[in-house]
Amino acid sequence: MKIPLSRPDITQLEIDAVCDVLRSPNLSLGPKLSEFEKAFCDRIGTKRAIAVNSGTSALFLCLKAMGIGPGDEVITTPFTFVASATSIMMTGARPVFADIDPDTLNLDVNAVRAWVNTRTKAILPVEVFGNPAGMDSLAEFAREHHLWVIEDSCEALGSEHNGRKSGTFGNMGVFAFYPNKQMTTGEGGMIVTDCEDWADLCVSLRNQGRSTEAAWLSHKRLGYNYRLSDINCALGLAQLSRLDDFIAKRTQVAAWYQERLKQETRLIVPRTQENSLMSWFVFVVQLEKTYSLTDRDTLLKHLNKQGIQVSNYFPPLHLQPFIKDQYGHQEGDFPVTESVSQRTVALPFYNNLSESEVAQVCDKLTQTLDQLPRLSKAKALA
Ligand SMILES: *Cc1c(COP(=O)(O)O)cnc(C)c1O
């Protein structure tokens, strides 16, 4: 038996869409790019959407468009995928971490307050695991302090909070389409914004600093090649047309997990936050507070060995060796993040995970929890 952590949902619709582009003369900068961007605008409700080759590129371009660079600080969460912080580092600015709310696992607005100073230019909050909770208070805080907000919605396509869509809380929002996300383009990302000037800058920056009106080999500014090909865009269009179905399937899978694990007192099981419409990215449980990092890692190893693919989303970013060294972080700097990070277990989670597979995962998980005292002790002695 093997149950993967994630699996894309590709049908004949996607295969045909990609093949149509391959039969056309426009493999890049063709009609599928603007079609994909237009469909995305319609879905999110922003004036502009700019497709790029990854979520990381998208975050980086937002920061560049805002003019953020050396000497500036951007406040973000240490409990996220590495790109939230490295995109800031790539501009020459400094990622300043603030701790998370133990309930939502998102940036805690009260923790953010302590890190604002004259160098602070922006906040880069993340809707971790798809949870949009707290984005409204962070955006309001940023407005009061005259800071920009780049909303990292890479894990939250389709989520809503108090009737507002993820990606629209900040000045710019970012989505990503790696194969484990809610929808995929193979690789890809999308910037959304209502600001025409920033959008135009992003269009230029993704295409070697070209301006739309000038000749092909005329470059107005230092730019990058962050274009998304029409092959990827066609895949994205097909996936976007099925997004509501994807979200419904994922909601069902999450509900099966919640139902089967609701009596399991050794686990903290994620629930949908109040006033939120949650588009589930992953299903991450936490071992209860008495468990240690060794227990968690033993559990991961044991489940992976049995074909249930699980993972440790996310180790704290401030303790990633190159970040720790560069900014002089230490263990204990962000206690909530560190405590949560030691106890998380991301379970297999994707559109077509069946109810019986969810049952198998939960059975194996429970059995492993039963055996954990013995397994951890064996590991400690080894
Ligand atoms: C996936 C993801 C990204 C972007 O990832 P890419 O692989 O560059 O597309 C950024 N931030 C978060 C929180 C993510 O989960």
Side-chain angles (χ1 to χ4, degrees):
M1 178 188 58
K2 187 145 176 59
I3 303 180
L5 188 57
S6 97
R7 182 186 276 168
D9 184 348
I10 301 294
T11 60
Q12 197 61 40
L13 184 75
E14 284 81 0
I15 295 170
D16 290 344
V18 166
C19 289
D20 284 348
V21 175
L22 292 175
R23 288 187 202 98
S24 83
N26 301 304
L27 301 192
S28 194
L29 296 175
K32 292 297 161 191
L33 171 62
S34 41
E35 252 184 78
F36 185 34
E37 291 177 337
K38 170 76 173 55
F40 216 85
C41 279
D42 291 347
R43 172 88 202 191
I44 303 296
T46 49
K47 288 197 185 126
R48 301 285 295 274
I50 303 100
V52 292
N53 63 349
S54 76
T56 309
S57 311
L59 288 170
F60 174 75
L61 287 195
C62 290
L63 294 156
K64 289 301 275 188
M66 289 174 169
I68 289 168
D72 297 333
E73 294 184 357
V74 178
I75 300 174
T76 192
T77 162
F79 189 70
T80 178
F81 180 63
V82 71
S84 309
T86 50
S87 57
I88 300 167
M89 295 169 76
M90 285 185 257
T91 68
R94 177 184 177 134
V96 171
F97 298 111
D99 215 344
I100 57 170
D101 176 314
D103 189 32
T104 68
L105 310 185
N106 288 336
L107 207 47
D108 178 351
V109 69
N110 293 312
V112 168
R113 206 178 297 276
W115 296 101
V116 176
N117 64 54
T118 53
R119 290 181 299 278
T120 313
K121 290 292 174 325
I123 304 179
L124 195 154
V126 180
E127 288 153 300
V128 83
F129 306 150
N131 186 357
M135 291 304 124
D136 44 359
S137 5
L138 286 159
E140 193 184 318
F141 176 87
R143 261 192 306 277
E144 281 165 12
H145 292 78
H146 308 289
L147 303 171
W148 303 125
V149 174
I150 302 107
E151 186 185 354
D152 183 343
S153 300
C154 289
E155 303 187 354
L157 177 57
S159 289
E160 292 180 22
H161 185 61
N162 288 326
R164 194 159 182 160
K165 287 192 175 67
S166 289
T168 67
F169 286 95
N171 304 92
M172 300 181 99
V174 166
F175 296 95
F177 310 125
Y178 186 71
N180 72 337
K181 309 285 183 185
Q182 282 89 336
M183 61 162 265
T184 186
T185 59
E187 293 281 0
M190 189 73 82
I191 297 162
V192 294
T193 185
D194 283 331
C195 175
E196 301 280 357
D197 289 345
W198 282 336
D200 289 341
L201 253 176
C202 288
V203 168
S204 171
L205 289 171
R206 83 166 163 199
N207 190 17
Q208 306 285 14
R210 291 178 169 103
S211 67
T212 28
E213 59 275 10
W216 181 248
L217 290 181
S218 157
H219 304 269
K220 195 169 176 185
R221 56 179 63 82
L222 173 67
Y224 310 86
N225 178 359
Y226 289 167
R227 295 184 302 262
L228 189 66
S229 86
D230 270 42
I231 304 167
N232 302 94
C233 290
L235 177 50
L237 273 164
Q239 291 262 292
L240 189 58
S241 75
R242 300 174 59 212
L243 183 61
D244 287 326
D245 178 39
F246 291 175
I247 293 170
K249 282 176 166 174
R250 298 170 92 88
T251 304
Q252 175 61 261
V253 176
W256 286 330
Y257 270 126
Q258 286 168 326
E259 178 59 30
R260 289 197 179 263
L261 295 174
K262 71 173 183 220
Q263 313 280 26
E264 183 48 82
T265 54
R266 294 168 293 187
L267 296 176
I268 300 163
V269 177
R271 46 191 179 77
T272 310
Q273 301 284 325
E274 267 172 56
N275 308 320
S276 289
L277 212 150
M278 174 95 163
S279 168
W280 293 86
F281 166 52
V282 284
F283 198 83
V284 180
V285 298
Q286 289 170 52
L287 296 182
E288 186 265 308
K289 288 240 168 57
T290 54
Y291 286 92
S292 70
L293 179 64
T294 315
D295 292 329
R296 195 279 308 272
D297 288 348
T298 306
L299 179 97
L300 291 181
K301 208 166 147 198
H302 195 73
L303 286 171
N304 279 320
K305 220 162 55 192
Q306 294 180 83
I308 310 277
Q309 206 188 353
V310 288
S311 186
N312 60 334
Y313 291 173
F314 287 108
L317 284 193
H318 65 285
L319 299 178
Q320 292 285 347
F322 73 103
I323 296 179
K324 187 173 181 225
D325 291 350
Q326 183 158 347
Y327 303 111
H329 287 300
Q330 291 178 354
E331 263 174 53
D333 280 358
F334 303 102
V336 182
T337 296
E338 289 169 34
S339 164
V340 170
S341 290
Q342 293 188 17
R343 295 177 287 109
T344 52
V345 180
L347 301 177
F349 191 76
Y350 44 91
N351 296 354
N352 295 317
L353 192 65
S354 69
E355 189 170 10
S356 73
E357 286 167 325
V358 168
Q360 285 176 55
V361 173
C362 294
D363 288 348
K364 284 271 188 263
L365 179 60
T366 312
Q367 285 164 20
T368 310
L369 282 166
D370 293 343
Q371 298 166 5
L372 204 51
R374 187 173 56 74
L375 291 168
S376 291
K377 202 168 152 201
K379 190 181 170 187
L381 291 173

